[in-house]
Amino acid sequence: QVQLVESGGGSVQAGGSLRLSCAASGYTSSVKWMGWFRQVPGKEREGVATRYTRSSFTYYGDSVKGRFTISEDNAKNTVYLQMNSLKPEDTAMYYCAATAKWLNVVNWYSAKEYSSWGQGTQVTVSS
């Protein structure tokens, strides 16, 4: 069992930046991938970025490539999402997720591949 706790959400104007953090605890040695998803009311959860832990291998959603960066601090069991050049359409609840499964380019963005989830942190971008 892996527990995830997000922090760092908030409100920012378009063009601004935020950094989200996700601290993992529990059976973290089982985790292969940690990622970020976002969701707005009435829509499915969208894969934003994911990272193969203890490596530099990452996947990003097309809508955030070049603006968002996922990174990790292994010593702290923490994954970060640096979000730059934020747009109003980035407004959503952001969730951290983790999985022990092997992911690839065709399934990394599917929420059903992840077994552990945080409680979410709200990001609001105003125009």
Side-chain angles (χ1 to χ4, degrees):
Q1 188 79 1
V2 177
Q3 293 78 44
L4 304 173
V5 178
E6 303 102 331
S7 61
S11 297
V12 65
Q13 288 193 327
S17 299
L18 282 174
R19 189 178 80 156
L20 307 183
S21 300
C22 173
S25 61
Y27 192 39
T28 57
S29 61
S30 67
V31 173
K32 290 186 175 65
W33 296 80
M34 287 187 69
W36 291 93
F37 284 73
R38 64 188 183 186
Q39 190 171 26
V40 297
K43 291 192 175 182
E44 290 189 359
R45 204 163 284 193
E46 174 192 7
V48 174
T50 198
R51 183 183 181 97
Y52 184 51
T53 57
R54 294 173 288 279
S55 82
S56 60
F57 199 85
T58 57
Y59 291 115
Y60 290 94
D62 288 341
S63 62
V64 306
K65 281 180 182 176
R67 299 188 299 123
F68 290 11
T69 303
I70 187 170
S71 61
E72 65 176 330
D73 183 332
N74 293 328
K76 296 181 179 179
N77 286 327
T78 299
V79 169
Y80 304 97
L81 185 69
Q82 178 67 44
M83 305 185 294
N84 298 329
S85 301
L86 282 162
K87 305 175 182 179
E89 50 263 44
D90 294 319
T91 295
M93 184 71 78
Y94 282 71
Y95 297 91
C96 179
T99 182
K101 292 183 177 182
W102 289 102
L103 301 179
N104 55 44
V105 66
V106 299
N107 69 357
W108 74 266
Y109 50 83
S110 176
K112 65 180 178 65
E113 300 295 337
Y114 297 78
S115 55
S116 299
W117 292 87
Q119 80 286 354
T121 185
Q122 179 68 37
V123 171
T124 303
V125 185
S126 58
S127 57

